Amino acid sequence: MSAPPTTVRSGPAPLLRWRWPLSRLGIGGRLIALHILILCILTALLTGIEVDHLSSQARTELGQRALIASRLVAQFPGVIQAARLGQQNAALNTFVNQLRAQVGADYIVVGDVRGVRLAHPRLDRLGFAMEGGDNGGPLSGQEIISVARGSLGLAVRGKVPVLAGGEVVGVVSTGFLMPQVRALAWQALSDLLPWFVLALALGSVGAVLVARRLRGEILGLEPEQISALVQEHQAVLSALGEGVLALGPGGEITLASVQADAALGLSGRRPPLARVWPEAARLAPARRHNLELPLGDVLMLVNTEPLPGGGQVITFRERGAALRLAEELTQVRSLVEVLRAQSHEYANHLHVISGLLHLNHVDEAISLLSEQIEADATFRELTREVQVPRVAALLFGQRGRAQELGIRLRLERGSALSPRWERHAGALITILGNLIQNAFEALSGQAGEVWLALGEDPDGLQIEVQDSGPGVPARLEQTLFERGESDKGEGRGHGLANVRARVQELGGLVRVFRRGERTVFQISLPPESP
């Protein structure tokens, strides 16, 4: 017959069977179970120590009692005579057993010099050799205490030699069986039982009270829920593009996202914030938004939020990255506005031409088309030397926006931009787009003109945007380029701040002044290498 198939059990199964009941308990049940487990382990440890102590003590005491009894028996003349002759004697056996009963020993055995039993509690064992293998010491004249297994079991034995005229003629062995020692150990365990029950009751009540307090502190969540929540928070922090720091009341770092860890070089450590970022450590807990703080050589935009316990949460990101994102959004918005303006402008022209054709004013329709084509050709000719395609496209779009607003956008003749500025096209679009839009808004929807000039010289790139508006309000002259400063309402004041930021990144300067009846924004950028 073939052998039955072997069932292979996976390793984690017992662990799962152990954890499954615990997972169904609340935190109070788990604390009680943990308390019982620890109490059982401690009780078993104490019992083991006590059993070992009592066993050692019992062996010492019983060994001394056995040794004293053996000395007494070895001094009786009848015992000496029987041992010397090596003959069994019924009277001797009766006498020895009476002594055994008086001292409370389990047995007293008398043997001759060959180790043959002459007296024993059981008559059927007489005449046989003594067991245990520990007669060497007594037969050589020594008194010993030993633990050995004889014919009646494991016992503590005291053995002394029987002497006749200074010669060893036999041996006396008195023994106390080990079960008596075990009984003492069980007695010790029973003595510990009331204390075990008392500790179990008090510990269980304490565990229930602690569990209730703990559940209140952790918002009623179970350990698995807390673990899952922490993992989710860590995943959220890792997914954020910003650095996140949580500070305690004393300014110590209690939590840091991956980005914050990398930016501050924490390497998993949690030092006081003052040690790694003194500028941020000096901030008192309060709500702040987009505060500019240096971190080494990098400027950061910092947001802070106070915590109820006196600490605060700090989030930060590189100012340059935030500006680049704002510029991308600005460029997208500008392109949308340009496309919308062009769509409206061309729709208006088409409606006018369609109306003229329906009214049979063909000459006027042709004249209007010619004017539009000529104007487009003229502007295209002016932008021919602007050899950065995205900048040229921006100018065409802003021209359409100006026509929609009833504003005349003029590009000065001779304006030029070499291809070497292509790699800074994004920055130039941000600068020109925001300055032109600011000029449009300065005219407040009224008819007016905006002039734009681009030119390169040995000192670099020069840009001027002029408008015929009323100029910069007096209260904004000193803070015009600060973020959030504007006279156009809440949520404005970012365009010119972005202009200054990009100009500074390119190592240039920006100025604003009045030239006659015009407001002039002048940009000077250092020369770009070919």
Side-chain angles (χ1 to χ4, degrees):
M1 294 179 61
S2 61
T6 301
T7 301
V8 179
R9 296 184 180 272
S10 61
L15 178 62
L16 292 177
R17 287 197 297 271
W18 166 254
R19 291 185 63 184
W20 179 75
L22 289 181
S23 63
R24 302 185 64 179
L25 297 175
I27 189 170
R30 295 183 188 186
L31 287 177
I32 293 176
L34 181 61
H35 167 68
I36 294 174
L37 177 62
I38 294 175
L39 188 59
C40 289
I41 293 174
L42 291 177
T43 302
L45 181 62
L46 291 175
T47 302
I49 295 173
E50 187 67 13
V51 165
D52 182 72
H53 173 70
L54 290 177
S55 297
S56 176
Q57 184 178 8
R59 288 176 183 177
T60 302
E61 293 178 357
L62 294 177
Q64 292 297 326
R65 288 175 58 188
L67 195 62
I68 292 172
S70 294
R71 289 172 183 167
L72 178 64
V73 174
Q75 293 175 2
F76 281 98
V79 173
I80 298 173
Q81 181 67 20
R84 186 175 62 81
L85 297 176
Q87 297 177 354
Q88 299 181 20
N89 187 329
L92 175 65
N93 194 53
T94 301
F95 173 71
V96 171
N97 283 319
Q98 289 176 350
L99 288 177
R100 177 187 62 80
Q102 290 178 5
V103 301
D106 289 296
Y107 62 82
I108 298 179
V109 178
V110 178
D112 59 15
V113 72
R114 298 171 301 170
V116 176
R117 298 186 185 104
L118 303 178
H120 195 276
R122 295 179 59 175
L123 297 178
D124 59 341
R125 304 292 174 89
L126 294 172
F128 293 95
M130 299 172 68
E131 299 178 7
D134 52 356
N135 281 341
L139 292 177
S140 62
Q142 299 176 0
E143 295 182 349
I144 66 168
I145 297 174
S146 67
V147 178
R149 183 174 297 279
S151 61
L152 298 180
L154 187 66
V156 179
R157 308 198 281 194
K159 290 193 173 188
V160 299
V162 179
L163 302 175
E167 181 184 356
V168 177
V169 295
V171 60
V172 176
S173 176
T174 302
F176 293 86
L177 294 177
M178 287 298 290
Q180 294 182 2
V181 180
R182 294 194 182 95
L184 291 175
W186 285 111
Q187 181 62 37
L189 182 60
S190 64
D191 292 341
L192 289 174
L193 185 61
W195 298 103
F196 175 84
V197 174
L198 179 62
L200 178 63
L202 294 178
S204 299
V205 173
V208 171
L209 296 178
V210 170
R212 289 182 178 177
R213 176 66 181 272
L214 188 59
R215 284 184 65 88
E217 294 291 337
I218 60 177
L219 306 178
L221 298 175
E222 294 295 336
E224 292 82 4
Q225 296 172 317
I226 296 175
S227 176
L229 190 60
V230 170
Q231 292 176 359
E232 290 174 1
H233 287 179
Q234 291 292 343
V236 170
L237 289 178
S238 299
L240 289 175
E242 298 182 340
V244 180
L245 292 173
L247 304 180
E252 67 278 6
I253 299 175
T254 58
L255 177 67
S257 66
V258 176
Q259 292 79 6
D261 192 281
L264 298 176
L266 300 179
S267 301
R269 299 176 293 109
R270 294 294 179 265
L273 184 62
R275 189 181 303 171
V276 293
W277 196 0
E279 294 82 3
R282 288 192 286 267
L283 298 176
R287 183 171 295 174
R288 303 178 183 86
H289 294 286
N290 293 329
L291 177 66
E292 295 184 359
L293 282 182
L295 176 57
D297 297 332
V298 181
L299 198 60
M300 295 291 181
L301 292 179
V302 177
N303 298 322
T304 62
E305 186 71 24
L307 293 175
Q312 62 180 327
V313 174
I314 296 178
T315 62
F316 60 93
R317 63 188 184 279
E318 288 189 25
R319 180 174 176 270
L323 289 178
R324 285 190 293 271
L325 180 59
E327 289 169 3
E328 291 178 3
L329 293 176
T330 300
Q331 293 175 21
V332 171
R333 186 176 65 181
S334 298
L335 291 175
V336 171
E337 289 292 331
V338 165
L339 291 174
R340 187 181 63 82
Q342 288 182 342
S343 175
H344 285 186
E345 184 67 18
Y346 284 110
N348 291 334
H349 284 302
L350 289 175
H351 290 158
V352 173
I353 293 171
S354 175
L356 290 174
L357 293 176
H358 277 88
L359 295 174
N360 291 323
H361 297 297
V362 178
D363 293 337
E364 292 186 20
I366 294 174
S367 176
L368 179 60
L369 283 173
S370 299
E371 290 177 3
Q372 187 64 37
I373 292 172
E374 183 179 354
D376 289 343
T378 302
F379 197 81
R380 186 177 296 107
E381 180 65 23
L382 292 174
T383 59
R384 187 181 61 173
E385 295 302 322
V386 179
Q387 299 180 36
V388 178
R390 281 182 286 176
V391 174
L394 174 69
L395 298 181
F396 267 99
Q398 293 292 4
R399 174 174 171 268
R401 174 65 174 161
Q403 290 176 346
E404 181 186 21
L405 297 174
I407 298 172
R408 185 177 181 184
L409 176 62
R410 298 178 58 179
L411 180 62
E412 297 292 341
R413 291 190 176 276
S415 294
L417 187 64
S418 64
R420 69 184 65 177
W421 291 92
E422 175 63 39
R423 65 177 183 173
H424 297 307
L428 294 177
I429 289 175
T430 298
I431 294 170
L432 289 170
N434 282 293
L435 289 179
I436 295 173
Q437 183 65 30
N438 182 75
F440 289 167
E441 293 177 354
L443 296 175
S444 302
Q446 301 176 0
E449 289 185 323
V450 175
W451 294 266
L452 173 63
L454 298 170
E456 294 183 76
D457 56 29
D459 294 329
L461 177 63
Q462 312 301 323
I463 301 174
E464 280 193 2
V465 178
Q466 307 177 33
D467 65 77
S468 57
V472 178
R475 69 178 188 86
L476 295 179
E477 288 181 354
Q478 303 299 323
T479 60
L480 181 62
F481 292 98
E482 298 294 332
R483 190 169 300 277
E485 291 292 336
S486 175
D487 61 347
K488 301 180 179 66
E490 187 177 356
R492 305 297 299 275
H494 296 281
L496 292 180
N498 288 341
V499 169
R500 185 182 66 171
R502 295 317 300 266
V503 170
Q504 290 177 346
E505 287 181 5
L506 295 177
L509 297 174
V510 56
R511 294 194 306 150
V512 57
F513 54 89
R514 292 286 288 183
R515 182 184 290 161
E517 299 297 324
R518 301 179 184 179
T519 302
V520 182
F521 283 82
Q522 187 179 78
I523 309 293
S524 296
L525 300 178
E528 181 67 14
S529 59

